[in-house]
Structure formats: C-alpha cells, structure tokens
Coordinates of all heavy atoms in Angstrom, one line a residue:
S1 N 0.8 -1.2 0.0 CA 0.0 0.0 0.0 C 0.8 1.3 0.0 O 0.3 2.4 -0.2 CB -0.9 0.0 1.2 OG -0.2 0.2 2.4
G2 N 2.1 1.1 0.3 CA 3.0 2.3 0.4 C 3.1 3.0 1.7 O 3.7 4.0 1.9
N3 N 2.4 2.4 2.7 CA 2.4 3.0 4.1 C 3.7 2.7 4.7 O 4.1 3.4 5.7 CB 1.2 2.4 4.9 CG -0.1 2.9 4.5 OD1 -0.3 4.1 4.2 ND2 -1.1 2.0 4.4
V4 N 4.5 1.7 4.3 CA 5.8 1.4 4.8 C 6.7 1.3 3.6 O 6.4 0.7 2.6 CB 5.8 0.1 5.6 CG1 7.2 -0.4 5.9 CG2 5.0 0.3 6.9
D5 N 7.9 1.9 3.7 CA 8.9 1.9 2.6 C 9.8 0.7 2.7 O 10.4 0.4 1.6 CB 9.7 3.2 2.7 CG 8.9 4.5 2.5 OD1 8.2 4.5 1.4 OD2 8.9 5.4 3.3
M6 N 10.0 0.2 3.8 CA 11.0 -0.9 4.0 C 10.6 -1.8 5.1 O 10.2 -1.3 6.2 CB 12.4 -0.3 4.1 CG 13.5 -1.4 4.3 SD 15.1 -0.7 4.4 CE 15.0 -0.1 6.1
D7 N 10.8 -3.1 5.0 CA 10.5 -4.0 6.0 C 11.1 -5.4 5.8 O 11.4 -5.7 4.6 CB 9.0 -4.2 6.3 CG 8.6 -4.6 7.7 OD1 9.5 -5.0 8.4 OD2 7.4 -4.5 8.0
S8 N 11.4 -6.1 6.8 CA 12.0 -7.5 6.7 C 10.8 -8.5 6.7 O 10.0 -8.4 7.6 CB 12.9 -7.7 7.9 OG 13.4 -9.1 7.9
I9 N 10.8 -9.3 5.7 CA 9.7 -10.3 5.5 C 10.3 -11.7 5.5 O 11.3 -11.9 4.9 CB 8.9 -10.0 4.2 CG1 8.4 -8.5 4.2 CG2 7.8 -11.0 4.0 CD1 7.4 -8.2 5.2
P10 N 9.6 -12.7 6.1 CA 10.1 -14.1 6.0 C 10.3 -14.4 4.6 O 9.5 -14.2 3.7 CB 9.0 -14.9 6.7 CG 8.3 -13.9 7.6 CD 8.4 -12.6 6.9
A11 N 11.5 -15.0 4.3 CA 11.8 -15.4 2.9 C 11.2 -16.8 2.6 O 11.6 -17.8 3.1 CB 13.4 -15.5 2.8
N12 N 10.1 -16.7 1.8 CA 9.6 -17.9 1.2 C 9.0 -17.6 -0.1 O 8.8 -16.3 -0.4 CB 8.6 -18.6 2.1 CG 7.4 -17.8 2.5 OD1 6.8 -17.2 1.6 ND2 7.1 -17.8 3.8
K13 N 8.7 -18.5 -0.9 CA 8.2 -18.3 -2.3 C 6.9 -17.5 -2.3 O 6.8 -16.5 -3.2 CB 8.1 -19.6 -3.1 CG 9.3 -20.3 -3.3 CD 9.1 -21.7 -4.0 CE 10.4 -22.4 -4.2 NZ 10.2 -23.7 -4.8
Q14 N 6.0 -17.8 -1.5 CA 4.7 -17.1 -1.5 C 4.9 -15.6 -1.2 O 4.4 -14.8 -1.8 CB 3.8 -17.7 -0.5 CG 2.4 -17.0 -0.4 CD 1.5 -17.7 0.6 OE1 1.8 -18.7 1.3 NE2 0.3 -17.2 0.8
N15 N 5.7 -15.3 -0.1 CA 5.9 -13.9 0.3 C 6.6 -13.2 -0.8 O 6.3 -12.0 -1.1 CB 6.7 -13.9 1.6 CG 5.9 -14.3 2.8 OD1 4.6 -14.3 2.7 ND2 6.5 -14.5 3.9
I16 N 7.6 -13.8 -1.4 CA 8.4 -13.1 -2.4 C 7.5 -12.8 -3.6 O 7.6 -11.7 -4.2 CB 9.6 -13.9 -2.9 CG1 10.6 -13.9 -1.7 CG2 10.2 -13.4 -4.1 CD1 11.8 -14.7 -1.9
Q17 N 6.6 -13.7 -4.0 CA 5.7 -13.5 -5.1 C 4.7 -12.4 -4.8 O 4.5 -11.5 -5.7 CB 4.9 -14.8 -5.4 CG 5.8 -15.9 -6.1 CD 5.0 -17.2 -6.2 OE1 3.9 -17.3 -5.7 NE2 5.7 -18.1 -6.8
M18 N 4.3 -12.3 -3.6 CA 3.3 -11.2 -3.2 C 4.1 -9.9 -3.2 O 3.5 -8.9 -3.7 CB 2.8 -11.5 -1.8 CG 1.8 -12.6 -1.7 SD 1.3 -13.0 0.0 CE 0.3 -11.5 0.4
L19 N 5.3 -9.8 -2.8 CA 6.0 -8.6 -2.8 C 6.3 -8.2 -4.3 O 6.2 -7.0 -4.6 CB 7.4 -8.8 -2.1 CG 7.2 -9.0 -0.5 CD1 8.6 -9.4 0.1 CD2 6.7 -7.7 0.2
Q20 N 6.7 -9.1 -5.1 CA 7.0 -8.8 -6.5 C 5.8 -8.3 -7.3 O 5.9 -7.5 -8.2 CB 7.6 -10.0 -7.2 CG 9.0 -10.3 -6.8 CD 9.6 -11.5 -7.5 OE1 9.0 -12.6 -7.6 NE2 10.8 -11.3 -8.2
S21 N 4.6 -8.8 -6.8 CA 3.3 -8.3 -7.5 C 3.0 -6.9 -7.4 O 2.3 -6.3 -8.2 CB 2.2 -9.2 -7.0 OG 1.9 -8.8 -5.6
A22 N 3.6 -6.2 -6.3 CA 3.4 -4.8 -6.2 C 4.1 -4.0 -7.2 O 3.7 -2.9 -7.6 CB 3.9 -4.4 -4.8
G23 N 5.1 -4.6 -7.9 CA 5.8 -3.9 -9.0 C 6.9 -3.0 -8.6 O 7.9 -2.9 -9.3
F24 N 6.7 -2.2 -7.6 CA 7.6 -1.1 -7.2 C 8.6 -1.5 -6.1 O 9.3 -0.6 -5.6 CB 6.9 0.2 -6.8 CG 6.0 0.1 -5.5 CD1 6.6 0.5 -4.3 CD2 4.8 -0.5 -5.5 CE1 5.8 0.4 -3.2 CE2 4.0 -0.6 -4.4 CZ 4.6 -0.2 -3.2
L25 N 8.6 -2.7 -5.6 CA 9.4 -3.1 -4.5 C 10.7 -3.9 -5.0 O 10.5 -4.8 -5.7 CB 8.6 -4.0 -3.5 CG 7.4 -3.3 -2.8 CD1 6.6 -4.4 -2.0 CD2 7.9 -2.2 -1.8
N26 N 11.8 -3.4 -4.5 CA 13.0 -4.2 -4.8 C 13.2 -5.1 -3.6 O 12.9 -4.7 -2.4 CB 14.3 -3.2 -4.8 CG 14.2 -2.3 -6.0 OD1 14.1 -2.8 -7.1 ND2 14.4 -1.0 -5.8
I27 N 13.7 -6.3 -3.8 CA 13.9 -7.3 -2.8 C 15.3 -7.7 -2.6 O 15.9 -8.2 -3.6 CB 13.0 -8.5 -3.1 CG1 11.5 -8.2 -3.2 CG2 13.2 -9.6 -2.0 CD1 10.6 -9.3 -3.8
Q28 N 15.9 -7.4 -1.5 CA 17.3 -7.8 -1.2 C 17.3 -9.1 -0.4 O 16.7 -9.1 0.7 CB 18.0 -6.6 -0.5 CG 18.0 -5.3 -1.3 CD 19.0 -4.3 -0.8 OE1 20.1 -4.6 -0.3 NE2 18.7 -3.0 -0.9
L29 N 17.9 -10.1 -0.9 CA 18.0 -11.4 -0.2 C 19.5 -11.6 0.1 O 20.4 -11.5 -0.7 CB 17.5 -12.5 -1.1 CG 16.0 -12.5 -1.4 CD1 15.7 -13.3 -2.6 CD2 15.3 -13.2 -0.2
Y30 N 19.8 -12.0 1.3 CA 21.2 -12.3 1.7 C 21.2 -13.3 2.9 O 20.3 -13.3 3.7 CB 22.0 -11.1 2.0 CG 21.3 -10.1 3.1 CD1 21.7 -10.3 4.4 CD2 20.5 -9.1 2.7 CE1 21.2 -9.4 5.4 CE2 19.9 -8.3 3.7 CZ 20.2 -8.5 5.0 OH 19.7 -7.7 5.9

C-alpha cells in the first residue's frame, strides 16, 4: 500500500511473489 517503505519479511516463495506483484518493491536477499 506504500504505508511502509521498507520491512523485513520471512523469505519464502509465497511472500516473495506477493512482494513482487506490487511492482515497485526491490527485494534484497542475503
């Protein structure tokens, strides 16, 4: 929604797909 600019999210396929669906979020994995 854009209410938060950055957050740590549990790394799993479902969560990453949901984040990517927003279009404007870069995802850093390490």
